Amino acid sequence: MIPLGVTVSARGGARFRALAQAKAREWGLPFVPRAESGGIELLLETQAEALLIVGGTGWVLRDREGELGFGPGMAKVRIKRFESQVHLQQPDHLVQYGELKPGDHVIDATLGLAVDALVCAHAVGLGGRVEGFEASWPLFLLAREGLATLEPFAPMCRVEPSFGRAGELLSARATGSADVVLLDPMFDLPKKSSGAFETLRRHAVHEPLDEATLVEARRVARRWVLVKAGAWGREFRRLGLTAEPRSKSAPVQWARVPGSGNVASP
Ligand SMILES: C[S@@+](CC[C@H](N)C(=O)[O-])C[C@H]1O[C@@H](n2cnc3c(N)ncnc32)[C@H](O)[C@@H]1O
C-alpha cells in the first residue's frame, strides 16, 4: 500500500490521464492506473492510502474517509464583505490586525488551502506580494494546482506557494523582508467540523507552533506577526500570547506580536 498516489477521475479520459501521469512524475509520486470498471474505492482499499485525482473540476485529495478540493469560496465571501459596508461594522480580523494595505508583502507561513492568503492578496493588491508556506506535501500540491487555475475574481496579486516548514523557510529570509507574517497552525483542541476540513486535518502537519518559529517570524516581519488559535485551546497561554480584545469572545482568536521594524517591538 502506498501512502499517496496520483490518478484520474472516472470521466477523466486520455487528456487528464496524460496530465496525471506527467504530474505524478514531476511530484515523485506513483501513478495509479484505474481499471475501466473499478471505482476509486477499490484503489483506496487495495493500492493507496490517499490519492490526488484530476478531472474536469480540477484536483481533489481523497482517502477512505473523505475528499477535499481546492475552492476559493470562503475567501470570496470574506473579500465581498471586505469590499462592502459590512466591513465597517465587522472588519476582517486578518486585514484589521495586520493593518494590511496595498503594496504590502505578506508571508502566510501556514498556507493550508490559501483562504487567508487570498484575502491578503486582495488587501495588498497587484502592487503587493503574498507568499504561502505549506509543510504537507499533498496539501501543498492541492493548493498550488488550485491557485494556478484561479480566475482572477478581483484585483489581487498572485499567491506564491512554497513547500516546507515555516521555521526553516523563514530562517532563510532577511530581517524585515516582509510586512506581516501569519501563523495559523492546526488547533491543539479542535472542534469537529465539516467533512472537507476533516480531510484537511488528516493530511495536515500538526506540529504545535514553537518558540523558535515565532522568533524567526518576528525577525522577518517588519510590522506584525499574527497568530491564530482556537478559543478552546491552550496555545496562547503556552506561548505567552494575549488574544486581541475584539477576538476574545470569538471561536477563533488572534494574537499579534510586533515585528522587528515595529516601534512597539522591544
Ligand atoms: C489551519 S490550516 C491553515 C489554514 C489557512 N490559514 C487558510 O486560510 O486556508 C494549517 C496549515 O498549516 C500547515 N502547517 C502546520 N505546521 C506547519 C509548519 N510548521 N510549516 C508550514 N506549514 C505548516 C498544515 O499542514 C495546514 O495545512
Short mmCIF file of all heavy atoms in Angstrom, two decimals, residues 58-122:
data_model
loop_
_atom_site.label_atom_id
_atom_site.label_comp_id
_atom_site.label_asym_id
_atom_site.label_seq_id
_atom_site.Cartn_x
_atom_site.Cartn_y
_atom_site.Cartn_z
N GLY A 58 -10.87 19.93 -11.71
CA GLY A 58 -9.57 20.21 -11.07
C GLY A 58 -9.09 19.03 -10.24
O GLY A 58 -9.47 17.89 -10.50
N TRP A 59 -8.27 19.33 -9.22
CA TRP A 59 -7.67 18.28 -8.40
C TRP A 59 -8.44 18.12 -7.10
O TRP A 59 -8.89 19.12 -6.51
CB TRP A 59 -6.23 18.66 -8.04
CG TRP A 59 -5.29 18.53 -9.20
CD1 TRP A 59 -4.98 19.51 -10.10
CD2 TRP A 59 -4.56 17.36 -9.60
NE1 TRP A 59 -4.11 19.03 -11.04
CE2 TRP A 59 -3.83 17.71 -10.75
CE3 TRP A 59 -4.45 16.07 -9.10
CZ2 TRP A 59 -2.99 16.81 -11.41
CZ3 TRP A 59 -3.62 15.17 -9.76
CH2 TRP A 59 -2.90 15.54 -10.90
N VAL A 60 -8.58 16.86 -6.65
CA VAL A 60 -9.10 16.61 -5.30
C VAL A 60 -8.17 15.63 -4.61
O VAL A 60 -7.48 14.84 -5.27
CB VAL A 60 -10.55 16.04 -5.27
CG1 VAL A 60 -11.55 17.03 -5.81
CG2 VAL A 60 -10.65 14.72 -5.99
N LEU A 61 -8.15 15.71 -3.29
CA LEU A 61 -7.40 14.76 -2.46
C LEU A 61 -8.44 13.86 -1.82
O LEU A 61 -9.39 14.35 -1.19
CB LEU A 61 -6.62 15.53 -1.39
CG LEU A 61 -5.91 14.70 -0.33
CD1 LEU A 61 -4.82 13.82 -0.95
CD2 LEU A 61 -5.28 15.62 0.72
N ARG A 62 -8.27 12.56 -2.01
CA ARG A 62 -9.29 11.64 -1.48
C ARG A 62 -8.63 10.53 -0.68
O ARG A 62 -7.56 10.04 -1.05
CB ARG A 62 -10.06 11.06 -2.69
CG ARG A 62 -11.10 10.11 -2.29
CD ARG A 62 -12.41 10.37 -2.96
NE ARG A 62 -13.27 9.25 -2.62
CZ ARG A 62 -14.12 8.68 -3.43
NH1 ARG A 62 -14.28 9.15 -4.64
NH2 ARG A 62 -14.85 7.66 -3.04
N ASP A 63 -9.25 10.17 0.44
CA ASP A 63 -8.84 8.96 1.17
C ASP A 63 -10.11 8.17 1.48
O ASP A 63 -11.18 8.50 0.98
CB ASP A 63 -8.01 9.31 2.43
CG ASP A 63 -8.76 10.18 3.42
OD1 ASP A 63 -10.01 10.20 3.36
OD2 ASP A 63 -8.12 10.83 4.26
N ARG A 64 -9.98 7.13 2.32
CA ARG A 64 -11.15 6.27 2.53
C ARG A 64 -12.27 7.00 3.28
O ARG A 64 -13.42 6.63 3.22
CB ARG A 64 -10.74 5.02 3.31
CG ARG A 64 -10.61 3.81 2.39
CD ARG A 64 -9.82 2.72 3.02
NE ARG A 64 -8.40 2.95 2.81
CZ ARG A 64 -7.43 2.34 3.47
NH1 ARG A 64 -7.70 1.48 4.41
NH2 ARG A 64 -6.17 2.61 3.21
N GLU A 65 -11.93 8.07 3.97
CA GLU A 65 -12.95 8.75 4.78
C GLU A 65 -13.58 9.96 4.12
O GLU A 65 -14.65 10.40 4.52
CB GLU A 65 -12.35 9.14 6.12
CG GLU A 65 -12.05 7.94 7.00
CD GLU A 65 -11.28 8.34 8.23
OE1 GLU A 65 -11.83 9.11 9.03
OE2 GLU A 65 -10.14 7.90 8.38
N GLY A 66 -12.91 10.54 3.15
CA GLY A 66 -13.50 11.74 2.57
C GLY A 66 -12.64 12.36 1.49
O GLY A 66 -11.66 11.78 1.03
N GLU A 67 -13.04 13.57 1.13
CA GLU A 67 -12.46 14.22 -0.05
C GLU A 67 -12.29 15.71 0.23
O GLU A 67 -13.06 16.30 0.97
CB GLU A 67 -13.44 14.01 -1.21
CG GLU A 67 -12.96 14.54 -2.52
CD GLU A 67 -13.92 14.15 -3.64
OE1 GLU A 67 -13.97 12.96 -3.99
OE2 GLU A 67 -14.61 15.05 -4.13
N LEU A 68 -11.30 16.29 -0.40
CA LEU A 68 -11.02 17.71 -0.24
C LEU A 68 -10.61 18.29 -1.59
O LEU A 68 -9.71 17.76 -2.24
CB LEU A 68 -9.87 17.88 0.77
CG LEU A 68 -9.33 19.27 1.03
CD1 LEU A 68 -10.36 20.13 1.74
CD2 LEU A 68 -8.05 19.20 1.87
N GLY A 69 -11.27 19.38 -1.98
CA GLY A 69 -10.88 20.05 -3.23
C GLY A 69 -10.46 21.47 -2.90
O GLY A 69 -10.76 21.98 -1.82
N PHE A 70 -9.78 22.10 -3.82
CA PHE A 70 -9.40 23.50 -3.62
C PHE A 70 -10.55 24.37 -4.08
O PHE A 70 -11.06 24.19 -5.19
CB PHE A 70 -8.15 23.82 -4.45
CG PHE A 70 -7.77 25.27 -4.38
CD1 PHE A 70 -6.94 25.71 -3.37
CD2 PHE A 70 -8.24 26.19 -5.30
CE1 PHE A 70 -6.59 27.05 -3.28
CE2 PHE A 70 -7.90 27.53 -5.22
CZ PHE A 70 -7.07 27.95 -4.20
N GLY A 71 -11.00 25.27 -3.25
CA GLY A 71 -12.07 26.17 -3.68
C GLY A 71 -11.91 27.51 -3.00
O GLY A 71 -11.78 27.57 -1.79
N PRO A 72 -11.91 28.59 -3.76
CA PRO A 72 -11.71 29.90 -3.15
C PRO A 72 -12.99 30.48 -2.55
O PRO A 72 -13.05 31.66 -2.23
CB PRO A 72 -11.22 30.74 -4.32
CG PRO A 72 -11.85 30.12 -5.52
CD PRO A 72 -12.02 28.66 -5.22
N GLY A 73 -14.05 29.64 -2.39
CA GLY A 73 -15.36 30.13 -1.96
C GLY A 73 -15.34 30.98 -0.71
O GLY A 73 -15.86 32.09 -0.68
N MET A 74 -14.73 30.47 0.35
CA MET A 74 -14.73 31.20 1.63
C MET A 74 -13.95 32.51 1.50
O MET A 74 -14.33 33.53 2.08
CB MET A 74 -14.12 30.30 2.72
CG MET A 74 -14.41 30.76 4.12
SD MET A 74 -16.20 30.96 4.39
CE MET A 74 -16.20 32.47 5.33
N ALA A 75 -12.87 32.47 0.72
CA ALA A 75 -12.10 33.71 0.52
C ALA A 75 -12.96 34.73 -0.21
O ALA A 75 -12.96 35.92 0.13
CB ALA A 75 -10.83 33.41 -0.27
N LYS A 76 -13.76 34.26 -1.18
CA LYS A 76 -14.64 35.18 -1.93
C LYS A 76 -15.63 35.85 -1.00
O LYS A 76 -15.89 37.05 -1.12
CB LYS A 76 -15.39 34.41 -3.02
CG LYS A 76 -14.58 34.16 -4.26
CD LYS A 76 -15.48 33.56 -5.33
CE LYS A 76 -14.68 33.23 -6.56
NZ LYS A 76 -15.44 32.59 -7.60
N VAL A 77 -16.21 35.05 -0.08
CA VAL A 77 -17.19 35.61 0.86
C VAL A 77 -16.52 36.70 1.70
O VAL A 77 -17.06 37.80 1.86
CB VAL A 77 -17.75 34.49 1.78
CG1 VAL A 77 -18.60 35.07 2.90
CG2 VAL A 77 -18.55 33.48 0.97
N ARG A 78 -15.33 36.40 2.20
CA ARG A 78 -14.65 37.39 3.05
C ARG A 78 -14.26 38.63 2.25
O ARG A 78 -14.34 39.76 2.74
CB ARG A 78 -13.43 36.76 3.72
CG ARG A 78 -13.82 35.97 4.95
CD ARG A 78 -12.70 35.15 5.50
NE ARG A 78 -11.54 35.93 5.91
CZ ARG A 78 -10.38 35.37 6.30
NH1 ARG A 78 -10.25 34.06 6.32
NH2 ARG A 78 -9.38 36.13 6.66
N ILE A 79 -13.85 38.44 0.99
CA ILE A 79 -13.46 39.58 0.16
C ILE A 79 -14.68 40.45 -0.15
O ILE A 79 -14.60 41.68 -0.10
CB ILE A 79 -12.75 39.08 -1.13
CG1 ILE A 79 -11.37 38.53 -0.76
CG2 ILE A 79 -12.63 40.20 -2.15
CD1 ILE A 79 -10.69 37.74 -1.85
N LYS A 80 -15.83 39.82 -0.41
CA LYS A 80 -17.06 40.57 -0.67
C LYS A 80 -17.44 41.42 0.54
O LYS A 80 -17.79 42.57 0.43
CB LYS A 80 -18.21 39.61 -0.99
CG LYS A 80 -18.35 39.33 -2.45
CD LYS A 80 -19.83 39.07 -2.81
CE LYS A 80 -19.91 38.74 -4.28
NZ LYS A 80 -20.13 37.34 -4.55
N ARG A 81 -17.34 40.79 1.73
CA ARG A 81 -17.67 41.53 2.96
C ARG A 81 -16.69 42.68 3.15
O ARG A 81 -17.06 43.79 3.54
CB ARG A 81 -17.55 40.60 4.17
CG ARG A 81 -18.72 39.63 4.31
CD ARG A 81 -18.37 38.58 5.32
NE ARG A 81 -17.99 39.16 6.59
CZ ARG A 81 -18.82 39.38 7.59
NH1 ARG A 81 -20.06 39.05 7.47
NH2 ARG A 81 -18.40 39.93 8.71
N PHE A 82 -15.46 42.41 2.84
CA PHE A 82 -14.38 43.38 2.98
C PHE A 82 -14.62 44.60 2.09
O PHE A 82 -14.34 45.72 2.45
CB PHE A 82 -13.10 42.61 2.59
CG PHE A 82 -11.85 43.39 2.50
CD1 PHE A 82 -11.31 43.97 3.63
CD2 PHE A 82 -11.16 43.51 1.30
CE1 PHE A 82 -10.12 44.67 3.55
CE2 PHE A 82 -9.99 44.20 1.22
CZ PHE A 82 -9.47 44.78 2.35
N GLU A 83 -15.23 44.35 0.92
CA GLU A 83 -15.49 45.44 -0.02
C GLU A 83 -16.78 46.19 0.30
O GLU A 83 -16.98 47.28 -0.17
CB GLU A 83 -15.60 44.87 -1.44
CG GLU A 83 -14.25 44.56 -2.03
CD GLU A 83 -14.36 43.96 -3.41
OE1 GLU A 83 -15.38 43.31 -3.68
OE2 GLU A 83 -13.43 44.14 -4.18
N SER A 84 -17.65 45.55 1.09
CA SER A 84 -18.96 46.17 1.33
C SER A 84 -18.94 46.95 2.65
O SER A 84 -17.95 46.95 3.38
CB SER A 84 -20.04 45.09 1.41
OG SER A 84 -19.86 44.37 2.61
N GLN A 85 -20.07 47.55 2.95
CA GLN A 85 -20.19 48.33 4.18
C GLN A 85 -20.08 47.46 5.43
O GLN A 85 -19.73 47.93 6.50
CB GLN A 85 -21.54 49.07 4.20
CG GLN A 85 -21.66 50.13 3.14
CD GLN A 85 -20.62 51.23 3.29
OE1 GLN A 85 -20.46 51.77 4.37
NE2 GLN A 85 -19.89 51.53 2.23
N VAL A 86 -20.37 46.14 5.27
CA VAL A 86 -20.32 45.23 6.41
C VAL A 86 -18.96 45.34 7.09
O VAL A 86 -18.83 45.25 8.30
CB VAL A 86 -20.53 43.76 5.92
CG1 VAL A 86 -20.43 42.77 7.08
CG2 VAL A 86 -21.86 43.62 5.22
N HIS A 87 -17.93 45.58 6.27
CA HIS A 87 -16.57 45.64 6.77
C HIS A 87 -16.40 46.72 7.86
O HIS A 87 -15.61 46.56 8.78
CB HIS A 87 -15.62 45.91 5.61
CG HIS A 87 -14.19 45.93 6.02
ND1 HIS A 87 -13.57 44.83 6.59
CD2 HIS A 87 -13.26 46.91 5.98
CE1 HIS A 87 -12.32 45.14 6.85
NE2 HIS A 87 -12.11 46.39 6.50
N LEU A 88 -17.19 47.81 7.72
CA LEU A 88 -17.04 48.90 8.69
C LEU A 88 -17.50 48.47 10.08
O LEU A 88 -16.89 48.83 11.08
CB LEU A 88 -17.84 50.13 8.22
CG LEU A 88 -17.37 50.71 6.88
CD1 LEU A 88 -18.28 51.85 6.45
CD2 LEU A 88 -15.92 51.18 6.97
N GLN A 89 -18.59 47.67 10.12
CA GLN A 89 -19.06 47.18 11.43
C GLN A 89 -18.27 45.96 11.91
O GLN A 89 -17.98 45.81 13.08
CB GLN A 89 -20.54 46.80 11.38
CG GLN A 89 -21.50 47.98 11.42
CD GLN A 89 -21.80 48.46 10.00
OE1 GLN A 89 -22.12 47.66 9.14
NE2 GLN A 89 -21.66 49.76 9.78
N GLN A 90 -17.97 45.05 10.98
CA GLN A 90 -17.29 43.80 11.36
C GLN A 90 -16.06 43.62 10.47
O GLN A 90 -16.10 42.88 9.50
CB GLN A 90 -18.22 42.61 11.15
CG GLN A 90 -19.43 42.63 12.06
CD GLN A 90 -20.46 41.65 11.53
OE1 GLN A 90 -21.01 41.81 10.46
NE2 GLN A 90 -20.70 40.60 12.29
N PRO A 91 -14.98 44.32 10.79
CA PRO A 91 -13.81 44.22 9.92
C PRO A 91 -13.23 42.80 9.90
O PRO A 91 -13.37 42.06 10.87
CB PRO A 91 -12.81 45.19 10.55
CG PRO A 91 -13.42 45.71 11.77
CD PRO A 91 -14.77 45.13 11.97
N ASP A 92 -12.62 42.44 8.79
CA ASP A 92 -11.92 41.15 8.71
C ASP A 92 -10.72 41.23 9.65
O ASP A 92 -9.86 42.11 9.53
CB ASP A 92 -11.46 40.91 7.27
CG ASP A 92 -10.97 39.49 7.09
OD1 ASP A 92 -9.83 39.20 7.49
OD2 ASP A 92 -11.73 38.67 6.55
N HIS A 93 -10.67 40.31 10.61
CA HIS A 93 -9.64 40.40 11.64
C HIS A 93 -8.22 40.36 11.07
O HIS A 93 -7.32 41.05 11.54
CB HIS A 93 -9.82 39.27 12.66
CG HIS A 93 -10.91 39.57 13.65
ND1 HIS A 93 -11.59 38.60 14.33
CD2 HIS A 93 -11.45 40.75 14.05
CE1 HIS A 93 -12.49 39.16 15.12
NE2 HIS A 93 -12.43 40.47 14.96
N LEU A 94 -8.04 39.54 10.05
CA LEU A 94 -6.70 39.43 9.45
C LEU A 94 -6.25 40.77 8.86
O LEU A 94 -5.13 41.22 9.10
CB LEU A 94 -6.76 38.32 8.37
CG LEU A 94 -5.59 38.14 7.43
CD1 LEU A 94 -4.29 37.97 8.18
CD2 LEU A 94 -5.84 36.92 6.55
N VAL A 95 -7.17 41.41 8.13
CA VAL A 95 -6.84 42.69 7.50
C VAL A 95 -6.66 43.77 8.57
O VAL A 95 -5.73 44.59 8.52
CB VAL A 95 -7.96 43.08 6.50
CG1 VAL A 95 -7.68 44.44 5.87
CG2 VAL A 95 -8.10 42.01 5.43
N GLN A 96 -7.54 43.72 9.58
CA GLN A 96 -7.51 44.74 10.62
C GLN A 96 -6.26 44.62 11.49
O GLN A 96 -5.52 45.58 11.69
CB GLN A 96 -8.76 44.58 11.50
CG GLN A 96 -8.87 45.63 12.58
CD GLN A 96 -9.94 45.28 13.61
OE1 GLN A 96 -10.26 44.10 13.83
NE2 GLN A 96 -10.47 46.29 14.24
N TYR A 97 -5.99 43.43 12.02
CA TYR A 97 -4.86 43.28 12.94
C TYR A 97 -3.52 43.39 12.22
O TYR A 97 -2.53 43.83 12.78
CB TYR A 97 -4.95 41.94 13.68
CG TYR A 97 -6.16 41.83 14.59
CD1 TYR A 97 -6.87 40.65 14.68
CD2 TYR A 97 -6.58 42.92 15.34
CE1 TYR A 97 -7.98 40.55 15.50
CE2 TYR A 97 -7.70 42.84 16.15
CZ TYR A 97 -8.39 41.65 16.23
OH TYR A 97 -9.50 41.57 17.04
N GLY A 98 -3.49 42.97 10.94
CA GLY A 98 -2.25 43.10 10.18
C GLY A 98 -2.05 44.51 9.65
O GLY A 98 -0.99 44.83 9.13
N GLU A 99 -3.10 45.36 9.75
CA GLU A 99 -3.10 46.70 9.16
C GLU A 99 -2.67 46.61 7.69
O GLU A 99 -1.83 47.37 7.21
CB GLU A 99 -2.19 47.63 9.95
CG GLU A 99 -2.64 47.82 11.41
CD GLU A 99 -1.63 48.59 12.25
OE1 GLU A 99 -1.01 49.52 11.73
OE2 GLU A 99 -1.45 48.23 13.42
N LEU A 100 -3.24 45.60 7.01
CA LEU A 100 -2.83 45.32 5.63
C LEU A 100 -3.25 46.46 4.71
O LEU A 100 -4.36 46.97 4.81
CB LEU A 100 -3.44 44.00 5.14
CG LEU A 100 -3.02 42.74 5.88
CD1 LEU A 100 -3.60 41.50 5.21
CD2 LEU A 100 -1.50 42.63 5.97
N LYS A 101 -2.36 46.80 3.79
CA LYS A 101 -2.68 47.87 2.84
C LYS A 101 -2.02 47.57 1.49
O LYS A 101 -1.10 46.72 1.42
CB LYS A 101 -2.23 49.22 3.40
CG LYS A 101 -0.81 49.30 3.81
CD LYS A 101 -0.52 50.68 4.40
CE LYS A 101 0.95 50.89 4.67
NZ LYS A 101 1.60 49.87 5.47
N PRO A 102 -2.49 48.25 0.44
CA PRO A 102 -1.92 47.98 -0.88
C PRO A 102 -0.40 48.12 -0.88
O PRO A 102 0.16 49.03 -0.26
CB PRO A 102 -2.57 49.06 -1.77
CG PRO A 102 -3.88 49.34 -1.08
CD PRO A 102 -3.61 49.21 0.39
N GLY A 103 0.25 47.18 -1.54
CA GLY A 103 1.71 47.21 -1.66
C GLY A 103 2.43 46.37 -0.61
O GLY A 103 3.63 46.14 -0.72
N ASP A 104 1.71 45.90 0.40
CA ASP A 104 2.36 45.11 1.46
C ASP A 104 2.86 43.77 0.94
O ASP A 104 2.33 43.22 -0.03
CB ASP A 104 1.36 44.82 2.60
CG ASP A 104 1.28 45.95 3.61
OD1 ASP A 104 2.09 46.90 3.52
OD2 ASP A 104 0.39 45.89 4.49
N HIS A 105 3.86 43.25 1.65
CA HIS A 105 4.37 41.89 1.40
C HIS A 105 3.99 41.04 2.61
O HIS A 105 4.40 41.33 3.73
CB HIS A 105 5.90 41.95 1.23
CG HIS A 105 6.54 40.61 1.01
ND1 HIS A 105 7.90 40.46 0.88
CD2 HIS A 105 6.02 39.36 0.90
CE1 HIS A 105 8.19 39.18 0.69
NE2 HIS A 105 7.07 38.49 0.72
N VAL A 106 3.17 40.01 2.38
CA VAL A 106 2.70 39.14 3.46
C VAL A 106 3.24 37.74 3.24
O VAL A 106 3.25 37.23 2.12
CB VAL A 106 1.15 39.08 3.49
CG1 VAL A 106 0.65 38.15 4.59
CG2 VAL A 106 0.55 40.47 3.67
N ILE A 107 3.70 37.12 4.31
CA ILE A 107 4.03 35.69 4.26
C ILE A 107 3.03 34.94 5.13
O ILE A 107 2.96 35.18 6.34
CB ILE A 107 5.48 35.41 4.75
CG1 ILE A 107 6.49 36.09 3.84
CG2 ILE A 107 5.72 33.89 4.81
CD1 ILE A 107 7.94 35.89 4.25
N ASP A 108 2.24 34.08 4.48
CA ASP A 108 1.36 33.19 5.23
C ASP A 108 2.16 31.90 5.43
O ASP A 108 2.29 31.10 4.50
CB ASP A 108 0.06 32.94 4.45
CG ASP A 108 -0.87 32.01 5.21
OD1 ASP A 108 -0.41 31.39 6.19
OD2 ASP A 108 -2.04 31.89 4.81
N ALA A 109 2.70 31.73 6.62
CA ALA A 109 3.66 30.63 6.84
C ALA A 109 2.97 29.29 7.10
O ALA A 109 3.65 28.29 7.31
CB ALA A 109 4.60 31.00 7.99
N THR A 110 1.64 29.26 7.12
CA THR A 110 0.87 28.01 7.26
C THR A 110 -0.29 28.11 6.25
O THR A 110 -1.43 28.36 6.62
CB THR A 110 0.34 27.86 8.71
OG1 THR A 110 -0.28 29.09 9.09
CG2 THR A 110 1.44 27.53 9.70
N LEU A 111 0.01 27.87 4.99
CA LEU A 111 -0.89 28.21 3.88
C LEU A 111 -2.21 27.46 3.88
O LEU A 111 -3.25 28.03 3.56
CB LEU A 111 -0.14 27.93 2.56
CG LEU A 111 -0.90 28.23 1.27
CD1 LEU A 111 -1.12 29.73 1.11
CD2 LEU A 111 -0.11 27.69 0.07
N GLY A 112 -2.20 26.14 4.23
CA GLY A 112 -3.43 25.36 4.11
C GLY A 112 -3.96 25.45 2.70
O GLY A 112 -3.20 25.34 1.73
N LEU A 113 -5.27 25.69 2.55
CA LEU A 113 -5.81 25.84 1.20
C LEU A 113 -5.99 27.31 0.82
O LEU A 113 -6.84 27.67 0.01
CB LEU A 113 -7.11 25.05 1.03
CG LEU A 113 -6.91 23.53 1.00
CD1 LEU A 113 -8.16 22.82 0.52
CD2 LEU A 113 -5.72 23.09 0.15
N ALA A 114 -5.20 28.16 1.44
CA ALA A 114 -4.98 29.54 0.97
C ALA A 114 -6.16 30.49 1.13
O ALA A 114 -6.21 31.51 0.44
CB ALA A 114 -4.51 29.53 -0.48
N VAL A 115 -7.09 30.20 2.05
CA VAL A 115 -8.22 31.13 2.23
C VAL A 115 -7.68 32.47 2.76
O VAL A 115 -7.91 33.53 2.16
CB VAL A 115 -9.28 30.55 3.19
CG1 VAL A 115 -10.37 31.57 3.47
CG2 VAL A 115 -9.87 29.27 2.60
N ASP A 116 -6.93 32.42 3.86
CA ASP A 116 -6.35 33.66 4.40
C ASP A 116 -5.43 34.33 3.39
O ASP A 116 -5.42 35.55 3.25
CB ASP A 116 -5.56 33.36 5.69
CG ASP A 116 -6.47 33.09 6.87
OD1 ASP A 116 -7.58 33.67 6.94
OD2 ASP A 116 -6.08 32.29 7.75
N ALA A 117 -4.64 33.52 2.69
CA ALA A 117 -3.68 34.08 1.73
C ALA A 117 -4.40 34.85 0.62
O ALA A 117 -3.94 35.91 0.18
CB ALA A 117 -2.81 32.97 1.15
N LEU A 118 -5.56 34.33 0.18
CA LEU A 118 -6.30 35.02 -0.88
C LEU A 118 -6.91 36.32 -0.37
O LEU A 118 -6.99 37.31 -1.09
CB LEU A 118 -7.38 34.10 -1.46
CG LEU A 118 -6.84 32.99 -2.37
CD1 LEU A 118 -7.93 31.96 -2.68
CD2 LEU A 118 -6.27 33.55 -3.67
N VAL A 119 -7.32 36.32 0.89
CA VAL A 119 -7.83 37.57 1.48
C VAL A 119 -6.67 38.59 1.54
O VAL A 119 -6.84 39.76 1.18
CB VAL A 119 -8.43 37.32 2.89
CG1 VAL A 119 -8.77 38.62 3.59
CG2 VAL A 119 -9.67 36.42 2.77
N CYS A 120 -5.50 38.13 1.94
CA CYS A 120 -4.32 39.02 1.97
C CYS A 120 -4.01 39.53 0.56
O CYS A 120 -3.71 40.71 0.37
CB CYS A 120 -3.09 38.28 2.48
SG CYS A 120 -3.17 37.86 4.22
N ALA A 121 -4.10 38.63 -0.43
CA ALA A 121 -3.76 39.01 -1.81
C ALA A 121 -4.69 40.12 -2.29
O ALA A 121 -4.28 41.02 -3.02
CB ALA A 121 -3.87 37.79 -2.73
N HIS A 122 -5.94 40.04 -1.86
CA HIS A 122 -6.88 41.10 -2.22
C HIS A 122 -6.52 42.40 -1.51
O HIS A 122 -6.52 43.48 -2.12
CB HIS A 122 -8.31 40.67 -1.86
CG HIS A 122 -9.32 41.70 -2.23
ND1 HIS A 122 -9.80 41.82 -3.51
CD2 HIS A 122 -9.89 42.67 -1.50
CE1 HIS A 122 -10.64 42.83 -3.55
NE2 HIS A 122 -10.72 43.35 -2.35
#
